[in-house]
Amino acid sequence: MQYHTGIDGRFSTFNYAAEGTTQDSHLRNQNYRVCIRQEEGYCCVIYMKCDANSFQLNTGGTADITKAHQGSDCTGDYITIEGSSQSGFGNVNDKYCGGILNTIDENLVDAKIKDCTAPFEVGVVTDNIVDGTAATIANANTGVCLTWTQEPCSAGNQGP
């Protein structure tokens, strides 16, 4: 559904509004991929939140949405970054949800997420539940805005 080129950029889930504007809840019943073309000489992509409030996805369970969650904690709304971690190698994750983007469960601090497994894709999955808007509930499920930067292979990122 989205295809990006170049060595850096930004993308957001459908119905996401910029910081400082009225944000609606993300769209329901979504299952699509945001693709980033691997540029020649680049082996990894680093993802970061666009701003402090640009990652808010309902976990679908009882997990606290104000914290970072991954894997089986994410059953409602989540993004997937296959084979990602903070280093790009080693202990990898695939799903992220909650209000903090981090590879460590229940963390309260955002972190960069690195993916060194082409093709570079971020999956977006949302359930059929209307989660609420920023105007109606705290920690609303407004969706995701991420910036991304491709990292050169010369940075020691030839892959596993």
Side-chain angles (χ1 to χ4, degrees):
M1 296 290 286
Q2 296 184 42
Y3 184 75
H4 299 270
T5 61
I7 60 169
D8 59 16
R10 126 187 282 186
F11 66 87
S12 58
T13 55
F14 297 131
N15 216 36
Y16 181 84
E19 183 178 23
T21 63
T22 302
Q23 292 185 331
D24 290 323
S25 180
H26 61 71
L27 297 179
R28 299 180 299 143
N29 291 321
Q30 299 291 296
N31 188 347
Y32 64 90
R33 298 225 180 253
V34 176
C35 301
I36 298 170
R37 181 181 70 194
Q38 182 178 7
E39 299 296 339
E40 186 174 344
Y42 291 83
C43 290
C44 298
V45 174
I46 298 170
Y47 300 95
M48 298 166 283
K49 289 173 44 173
C50 294
D51 60 59
N53 299 312
S54 66
F55 186 82
Q56 296 180 356
L57 293 170
N58 185 349
T59 64
T62 59
D64 185 347
I65 191 172
T66 64
K67 297 178 181 178
H69 297 285
Q70 311 78 32
S72 61
D73 281 352
C74 302
T75 60
D77 307 322
Y78 55 87
I79 62 169
T80 61
I81 306 173
E82 300 293 331
S84 59
S85 67
Q86 286 186 16
S87 67
F89 307 105
N91 188 17
V92 296
N93 293 305
D94 59 349
K95 289 183 185 179
Y96 299 90
C97 63
I100 299 293
L101 183 62
N102 196 306
T103 60
I104 301 169
D105 196 40
E106 296 194 358
N107 203 295
L108 298 173
V109 178
D110 293 303
K112 295 177 182 179
I113 305 297
K114 189 173 185 179
D115 179 12
C116 297
T117 55
F120 302 130
E121 300 175 331
V122 176
V124 177
V125 178
T126 61
D127 59 19
N128 65 350
I129 298 170
V130 177
D131 295 314
T133 67
T136 60
I137 61 171
N139 305 311
N141 300 295
T142 54
V144 174
C145 178
L146 296 178
T147 62
W148 55 271
T149 303
Q150 293 199 42
E151 193 171 71
C153 299
S154 60
N157 300 312
Q158 281 73 30

